[in-house]
Amino acid sequence: EPEVTQTPSHQVTQMGQEVILRCVPISNHLYFYWYRQILGQKVEFLVSFYNNEISEKSEIFDDQFSVERPDGSNFTLKIRSTKLEDSAMYFCASSEARGGGNEQFFGPGTRLTVL
Amino acid sequence: AQSVTQLGSHVSVSEGALVLLRCNYSSSVPPYLFWYVQYPNQGLQLLLKYTTGATLVKGINGFEAEFKKSETSFHLTKPSAHMSDAAEYFCAVTTVNTGFQKLVFGTGTRLLVSP
């Protein structure tokens, strides 16, 4: 069964360092998302991406964040200069079509720890 | 703005007992509602969803949920818990509007099943 994969499963970094979180969406999906969950808090939407463009982003997704689809399979989230408060579980998701009824398929997450 | 409230961060049941996980939502427009489950070290997996039509929706693994507009609720139930149901459960809402659908999640409920 097709699935979304994410690497690494756990990333530890020093404050101020750049990190890149990687995701491989399901191959025929066209819509991509990043969410994050700070420990003990809600899963929060960060950004959605379609046709090589950001389609929507939350207020969390500031200039320190960027997303890219560098090739036909990967979808990346970059944090330029990490802060302590960026420590969270980051989930990638993809969907075949847009619209509220379409299922978003989630990856297992990357746990980012900023020291 | 939309929001989701899940009452109870932890719910404990005995194997064979009824499972009831509560979800209330707030939305100014007709909602789409989802329940996702997360097993340890795995991604979020869709259990069931309500979009339109029948208000009682059935999902995988014997779970079902009923959309009650008057109560703004979408509680998740299962008649008889199995040990394998132990996981974290997330309720989420989005809207019927067109566009890219960000999911708004609740804080999650951890279901504990004892023998």
Side-chain angles (χ1 to χ4, degrees):
Chain A
E1 185 174 331
E3 60 182 13
V4 177
T5 59
Q6 291 184 243
T7 54
S9 58
H10 192 188
Q11 173 93 44
V12 181
T13 190
Q14 295 291 324
M15 189 170 56
Q17 295 296 304
E18 174 183 287
V19 295
I20 298 176
L21 310 183
R22 291 182 167 79
C23 169
V24 179
I26 294 172
S27 62
N28 64 330
H29 286 186
L30 301 175
Y31 302 84
F32 313 114
Y33 312 83
W34 283 100
Y35 293 81
R36 78 172 186 189
Q37 184 182 30
I38 295 171
L39 189 63
Q41 298 186 24
K42 300 183 180 189
V43 176
E44 301 171 289
F45 169 80
L46 292 178
V47 66
S48 57
F49 189 85
Y50 169 71
N51 199 26
N52 285 319
E53 290 183 346
I54 290 174
S55 47
E56 186 177 359
K57 60 183 181 179
S58 72
E59 57 273 14
I60 301 169
F61 195 89
D62 61 22
D63 291 344
Q64 293 299 313
F65 290 87
S66 61
V67 288
E68 191 179 31
R69 189 152 162 83
D71 52 41
S73 59
N74 289 284
F75 179 50
T76 62
L77 174 69
K78 182 193 290 186
I79 309 175
R80 289 190 184 79
S81 179
T82 50
K83 307 182 187 72
L84 295 176
E85 55 264 36
D86 293 328
S87 295
M89 181 73 88
Y90 288 81
F91 294 105
C92 173
S94 68
S95 65
E96 189 173 2
R98 70 183 204 182
N102 289 287
E103 179 180 353
Q104 293 180 26
F105 291 80
F106 284 79
T110 293
R111 181 166 295 285
L112 176 65
T113 301
V114 182
L115 302 177
Chain B
Q2 301 162 302
S3 66
V4 172
T5 301
Q6 291 185 243
L7 283 178
S9 59
H10 292 80
V11 169
S12 295
V13 299
S14 299
E15 194 173 20
L18 171 71
V19 175
L20 171 60
L21 305 182
R22 297 180 186 275
C23 172
N24 288 89
Y25 70 91
S26 173
S27 178
S28 58
V29 296
Y32 287 157
L33 295 156
F34 304 80
W35 275 99
Y36 281 84
V37 60
Q38 185 180 30
Y39 299 102
N41 301 315
Q42 295 186 28
L44 300 168
Q45 179 185 4
L46 183 68
L47 270 180
L48 49 79
K49 66 180 181 183
Y50 168 79
T51 54
T52 58
T55 55
L56 181 64
V57 292
K58 296 184 186 299
I60 61 172
N61 301 337
F63 284 93
E64 62 183 38
E66 186 170 12
F67 170 60
K68 292 188 176 180
K69 184 178 178 181
S70 61
E71 298 177 10
T72 61
S73 68
F74 191 58
H75 301 329
L76 182 71
T77 60
K78 182 174 180 178
S80 176
H82 292 167
M83 296 295 289
S84 59
D85 294 327
E88 184 107 25
Y89 292 80
F90 295 93
C91 182
V93 64
T94 188
T95 70
V96 302
N97 295 333
T98 57
F100 301 94
Q101 298 302 317
K102 65 178 183 183
L103 291 168
V104 175
F105 285 89
T107 50
T109 298
R110 184 167 297 278
L111 178 65
L112 306 168
V113 182
S114 57

